[in-house]
């Protein structure tokens, strides 16, 4: 998916992305040119509309390039699932843009009251990745006087972004809180992701939503972990001559430890991709996915993330004082891995 020139370009901005807390314009331009926020958007809306297994590989590779970049590619594309739940004209307006990006939350932490033609919504939602470059915001709110919860779409001018993302990893994702106060949302800008209308149709939109979301996030975590193992090996190789001179046996010991931790991680990743491919093939053939397969997939998402984190923690202890310096690539990747794997669908 990413040629070496693109990898080098994005990684050349990794330090800046972390310090600024958001993607640079140069990296956003790569995303827009390659339509990386539109992997699940129909071609009619200038999207790429990928099969799920292909998109999973893109998410993994993007996160391997850079954690914050990969996280936002995955979150941005995942919102394409909303295309088929929104009213067609509104979906076309939202997703037809070259620079479309939806920041949002599934937490029902807002309140809405029905009025003529729509709703008045007030609320505040945390952890909305990509909030600084969003072209639209979505969030859930409870409709007062009912037991209904709707998803609402807000325009950027209706939203106040509260810059409070101070996590120790994925710093470049600008996953800030946003709030709205007495914002009017027309009826046609509400939707329910669990009750799609399939105005735009594709097998992706029929795949069970929770396993779909878990697989996307797991792929991102896997990609960051791949980068961590590679960077750990590179660091150890760079110290080989020094260690062999002053600490005989250390190079061999640490190399062995990396291999010991990476092997079970790779095994879980292989199982993950095999099950994604198999369930997707069944799904496309019109076969109902079994509850057991869906449970297995969600457990593999968790176990792959678990192997990645536990392996990284063990290896980290062997890498010396340089590994604790936040300015190093290894340290940033280590922190990104822990931040990504903390998502509720992976624990």
């Amino acid at each position: 998916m990413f040629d070496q020139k693109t990898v080098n370009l994005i990684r050349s901005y990794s330090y800046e992305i972390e310090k600024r807390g958001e993607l640079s314009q140069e990296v956003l331009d790569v995303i827009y040119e390659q339509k990386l926020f539109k992997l699940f958007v129909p071609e009619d809306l200038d999207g790429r509309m990928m099969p799920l297994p292909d998109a999973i590989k893109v998410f993994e590779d993007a996160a391997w390039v850079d954690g914050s970049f990969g996280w936002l590619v995955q979150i941005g594309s995942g919102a394409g699932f909303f295309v088929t739940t929104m009213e067609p004209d509104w979906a076309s307006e939202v997703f037809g843009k070259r620079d479309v990006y939806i920041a949002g939350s599934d937490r029902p932490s807002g309140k809405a009251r029905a009025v003529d033609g729509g709703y008045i919504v007030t609320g505040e939602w945390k952890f909305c990745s990509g909030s600084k470059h969003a072209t639209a915001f979505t969030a859930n709110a409870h409709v007062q006087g009912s037991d209904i919860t709707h998803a609402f779409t807000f325009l950027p001018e209706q939203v106040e972004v509260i810059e409070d993302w101070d996590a120790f990893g994925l710093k470049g994702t600008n996953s800030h809180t946003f709030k709205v106060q007495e914002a009017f949302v027309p009826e046609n800008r509400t939707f329910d992701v669990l009750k799609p209308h399939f105005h735009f149709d594709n097998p992706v939109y029929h795949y069970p939503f929770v396993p779909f979301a878990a697989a996307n996030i797991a792929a991102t975590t896997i990609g960051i972990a791949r980068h961590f193992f590679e960077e750990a090996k590179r660091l150890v190789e760079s110290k080989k001559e020094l260690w062999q001179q002053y600490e005989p046996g250390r190079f061999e010991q640490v190399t062995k430890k990396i291999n010991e931790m990476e092997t079970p991680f790779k095994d879980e990743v292989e199982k993950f991709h095999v099950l994604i491919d198999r369930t997707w093939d069944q799904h496309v053939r019109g076969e109902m996915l079994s509850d057991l397969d869906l449970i297995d997939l969600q457990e593999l998402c968790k176990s792959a993330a678990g192997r990645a984190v536990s392996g990284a923690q063990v290896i980290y202890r062997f890498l010396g004082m340089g590994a604790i310096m936040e300015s190093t690539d290894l340290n940033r990747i280590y922190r990104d891995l822990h931040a990504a794997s903390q998502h509720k669908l992976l624990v």
Side-chain angles (χ1 to χ4, degrees):
M1 182 65 205
F2 302 101
D3 59 29
Q4 195 59 52
K5 181 180 178 181
T6 303
V7 172
N8 292 343
L9 172 67
I10 295 168
R11 288 184 176 174
S12 73
Y13 285 100
S14 289
Y15 182 80
E16 176 186 331
I17 288 169
E18 171 151 292
K19 291 304 177 185
R20 289 180 54 194
E22 58 186 300
L23 300 185
S24 66
Q25 188 59 51
E26 292 81 359
V27 172
L28 283 170
D29 286 340
V30 170
I31 292 172
Y32 301 148
E33 288 165 10
Q34 298 194 25
K35 303 179 185 179
L36 295 177
F37 289 152
K38 305 179 82 169
L39 302 190
F40 299 131
V41 174
E43 292 180 3
D44 289 349
L45 301 183
D46 195 34
R48 295 189 64 163
M49 204 63 252
M50 283 190 173
L52 180 59
D54 294 353
I56 289 291
K57 292 181 176 67
V58 173
F59 297 151
E60 183 178 327
D61 286 348
W64 166 79
V65 175
D66 176 86
S68 291
F69 169 75
W71 182 264
L72 289 171
V73 166
Q74 176 261 132
I75 293 291
S77 273
F81 209 97
F82 300 159
V83 167
T84 197
T85 69
M86 293 178 172
E87 290 297 320
D89 289 346
W90 178 235
S92 297
E93 184 175 339
V94 170
F95 288 97
K97 297 177 180 178
R98 175 179 181 268
D99 61 346
V100 62
Y101 183 91
I102 296 179
S105 171
D106 63 353
R107 296 166 182 249
S109 54
K111 294 182 179 180
R113 70 176 188 273
V115 296
D116 288 344
Y119 298 85
I120 301 293
V121 185
T122 295
E124 189 171 299
W125 296 269
K126 296 181 71 65
F127 310 133
C128 299
S129 298
S131 55
K132 299 291 288 295
H133 59 261
T135 55
F137 292 77
T138 61
N140 289 333
H142 176 71
V143 179
Q144 295 176 336
S146 75
D147 59 356
I148 297 171
T149 297
H150 275 321
F152 297 86
T153 314
F154 307 102
L155 302 176
E157 55 265 30
Q158 295 177 293
V159 166
E160 177 188 352
V161 174
I162 302 169
E163 297 189 25
D164 58 356
W165 179 243
D166 61 353
F168 84 140
L170 296 178
K171 289 178 176 290
T173 62
N174 57 101
S175 299
H176 302 304
T177 296
F178 82 87
K179 63 185 286 188
V180 298
Q181 184 69 37
E182 294 286 295
F184 175 67
V185 180
E187 179 72 40
N188 72 332
R189 296 183 186 177
T190 69
F191 62 97
D192 186 341
V193 72
L194 299 179
K195 296 179 181 178
H197 299 291
F198 300 111
H199 301 297
F200 299 94
D201 207 359
N202 186 276
V204 164
Y205 303 140
H206 297 267
Y207 197 87
F209 182 72
V210 173
F212 164 87
N216 291 349
I217 296 165
T220 304
T221 305
I222 288 167
I224 298 172
R226 280 175 45 205
H227 194 187
F228 176 84
F229 285 116
E230 287 182 13
E231 186 62 22
K233 291 175 185 176
R234 189 203 63 76
L235 176 66
V236 170
E237 190 65 36
S238 73
K239 292 180 176 291
K240 181 177 181 179
E241 185 176 340
L242 183 67
W243 283 354
Q244 288 182 334
Q245 183 176 358
Y246 294 103
E247 298 179 78
R250 183 175 179 182
F251 173 80
E252 290 77 14
Q253 179 194 24
V254 179
T255 299
K256 180 181 178 183
K257 186 60 66 174
I258 292 173
N259 291 334
E260 287 175 352
M261 294 299 103
E262 188 178 27
T263 297
F265 163 70
K266 285 183 172 180
D267 290 344
E268 292 301 287
V269 171
E270 183 177 359
K271 293 175 189 175
F272 167 77
H273 284 295
V274 167
L275 189 53
I276 287 286
D277 290 343
R278 181 165 66 79
T279 57
W280 178 254
D281 288 343
Q282 289 177 237
H283 177 65
V284 171
R285 292 197 302 267
E287 299 176 15
M288 181 72 71
L289 301 182
S290 72
D291 289 342
L292 183 60
D293 277 342
L294 296 178
I295 291 170
D296 283 348
L297 178 54
Q298 289 173 258
E299 290 304 311
L300 277 172
C301 291
K302 296 173 186 177
S303 61
R307 290 287 188 183
V309 171
S310 61
Q313 288 172 334
V314 169
I315 294 166
Y316 194 75
R317 296 273 291 158
F318 289 82
L319 299 180
M321 292 299 290
I324 69 172
M325 300 302 173
E326 286 196 359
S327 59
T328 64
D329 291 339
L330 183 78
N331 187 282
R332 184 188 67 255
I333 298 163
Y334 180 80
R335 289 183 284 105
D336 286 349
L337 174 60
H338 281 71
S341 65
Q342 197 74 5
H343 194 280
K344 64 184 179 181
L345 291 178
L346 299 185
V347 296

